[in-house]
Amino acid sequence: MATKSFLKTIDIKDKNLGSSFVKTLFECDNMPDSKVTYKSTPKELKGVAIKDFFDDYKKQHDNF
C-alpha cells in the first residue's frame, strides 16, 4: 500500500459509517499476512548511489 493512500483524511459523518469502519478495521486485523517473495535482495540506496542506480538503468534501457 502506498503511503499517500494510507495517510488520507477520513471524515465519518454518522454513527453507522463509524461502526462499519471500526468493524472493517477489526476484520482486517484478523486476516492472515500474505507471504512476500522477492526475486532479489532489497538494498537501500542513499545519496549519490541513487543517481548512479538510475544512470546505470538508463544505460541499459535506451527508451527510458
Side-chain angles (χ1 to χ4, degrees):
M1 175 183 286
T3 305
K4 194 167 198 151
S5 64
F6 183 73
L7 297 175
K8 293 225 183 236
T9 301
I10 300 170
D11 293 324
I12 300 173
K13 297 185 179 190
D14 68 36
K15 190 173 184 175
N16 288 336
L17 285 174
S19 296
S20 64
F21 180 69
V22 170
K23 180 182 174 191
T24 303
L25 287 176
F26 276 111
E27 288 172 1
C28 289
D29 193 34
N30 293 328
M31 292 177 69
D33 293 335
S34 33
K35 177 85 171 148
V36 176
T37 306
Y38 293 104
K39 291 181 182 179
S40 60
T41 306
K43 180 178 167 185
E44 184 175 347
L45 300 175
K46 294 182 179 181
V48 176
I50 296 170
K51 182 183 179 310
D52 293 342
F53 174 83
F54 284 107
D55 285 344
D56 290 342
Y57 185 87
K58 279 175 63 174
K59 289 176 187 173
Q60 293 174 3
H61 302 86
D62 292 331
N63 51 348
F64 176 64

